[in-house]
Amino acid sequence: MENLLLQATFYLGAAVLIVPISVRLGLGSVLGYLAAGLLLGPALGLAGSETHDLQHFTEFGVVLMLFLIGLELEPRTLWDMRHKLLGLGGLQVTLTSALVAALLLAMGEPWQIAATLGMLFSLSSTAIVLQSMTEKNLLRTAGGRSTFAVLLSQDIAVVPMLALIPLMAQRSPAHTPEEGAAQPIMSLVEALPGWAVTGLTLGIVATIVLVGHFLSRPVFRFIHASHLPEMGTFISLLMVIGIAFLMMLVGLSPALGSFIAGVVLANSEFRHQIEADIKPFKGILMGLFFTTVGVNIDTGLLADQPLRILALTLLLMLAKTAVLFLLATLFRLRGRDRVLFTLALAQAGEFGFLIVSFASTQAILPEMVAQRALLVISLSMLLTPLLFILHDRLARRPQRGGDQPADEIEEKGTVIIAGIGRFGQVVNRMARSAGLSTVVLDSDAAAIERLRRFGIKGYFGDPSRPDLLQAAGLAEAEVLVVAVDSPENATRIVEFARRQRPDLHIVARAYDRVHVYELFRAGANDILRETFDSSVRAGRYVLENMGFTEYEAAKLSQTYYKVDRAALRDLAELWVPGQPIHQNEAYVARARRLDEDLRTALLDDQDDIAVDRAAQ
């Protein structure tokens, strides 16, 4: 008992210490867990023989993860995305697997090893890529959406991979049935003829689908009627564990059964509750799984063969880059979207650790090959932040002739709208409804195409390009509306427009308070925070529901609006670029005085309201 508690302290302590640091550095949680395992095992020697047994237990986290993946994929959503999932994503997995397998066959590896490594190296890191694209606001771009579709395809592809690997085993892994309640059942199934096992397998899969569709709702309603929150967790775990056992009973991957069950339950009204019950267990088990992988990584092999491991890693990334570039070209991704798609998916992914472990237990991957694969996966993931840095450098360059050219702008308007997202659409609709002529620019070709379907003229191109702004009529326009998503691009557009047209009226959308100050310095006339107006309106509704009349609530909200905007202009004069606001003593002191002024103004309004009520 003492040893168990000590080892648990080591594992949890290492994770708590290292994983947050890894996430803050932009490396993702998976690399953090691997680093924690490397610290416990090769570095300090604090992890011992218990790691092997612990890894078998934590592999159940994969079953929970695939169940959650299935739970998030509604059948209708999968059908709507079928072209990208089967086309772009399916081709990426198939072509990359084939190319990597061919390279390994050329190196003299057996076909089973080549095929297994080809499949696992075709996968990319969902955690690192999605986190990096979210931080850089790249998910809404055409390249970001295509990247997400491929990552989703890869997550789904893991299921058939786990089902295929046992079929490629040269020999069945040694398995000695353990004494217990499961032994008679396992022995009975093993004694069945082949046709009976096949029928039993189909029957179990059909049972999972039918029970999930017809019986899950009444069962969950019955459980929730008990008003015992822990019973929801019990039934969720019972369902997943039971399905995993049934699939293992007939020799199939438990992950396959859990994935099917997740898809079946995706339309259930209890979907979010099930997800909330399962997710903590999945997170803990997957974290421990990656930690045990880190413990088992042979750092001595890396020290003995550094050039070979590095060469294999670079060869893998080059092979994936070639396939991704080809697919990006075939599917008409151009310019920065093609660069993003190609570089973002060039690494191996966290599912590779799972497949290496699973293939090793199936006696497909020898120990030395498995260790090399683990090192290649880890190094490629470590290089991913460098790939995004490379993407950022390339994205700053002007578009070249081989990239998708910007549209030729055929007309000029009195109002130029840079960015046609939700904000820009409303502004454009109001201006056009009032009879004003507008020119719309946006770097998202899909958004421009959607506008054209509704009969609204728009032009594809990066609004931060000076030549495009000039072509849109910057010299003659009366108003420029800056509504692009990137704060950096918004500031750059305002700075350029103000230099070219000191008399131009510029309306700009700000991401946050600091961005307001940046736009103010750049020369914008009217600056709107994304959520400010809607927040003031929400506050007005609060006042109305707390006893104020509509007139009184409107008066208070108008006062708040005017005082806050005036205060923001005062604070912009004290803002120092690059210095955190809370470290600027003059700014903090002024902000406090302005808060007092705001409170006084609202109290004066309430006094006036009280006088009006008394007069009535």
Side-chain angles (χ1 to χ4, degrees), residues 2-14 50 54 288:
E2 294 82 359
N3 290 334
L4 175 63
L5 294 177
L6 180 62
Q7 291 298 323
T9 302
F10 286 155
Y11 277 92
L12 297 176
E50 81 290 336
L54 179 61
L288 289 175

Side-chain angles (χ1 to χ4, degrees), residues 502-516:
D503 61 320
L504 179 67
H505 192 91
I506 302 176
V507 180
R509 181 188 67 174
Y511 176 73
D512 54 18
R513 184 176 287 263
V514 172
H515 193 211
V516 170

Side-chain angles (χ1 to χ4, degrees), residues 387-400:
L387 295 179
F388 275 98
I389 293 174
L390 176 61
H391 164 265
D392 293 341
R393 295 280 179 87
L394 295 175
R396 294 193 188 103
R397 296 183 178 180
Q399 300 278 355
R400 299 186 182 273

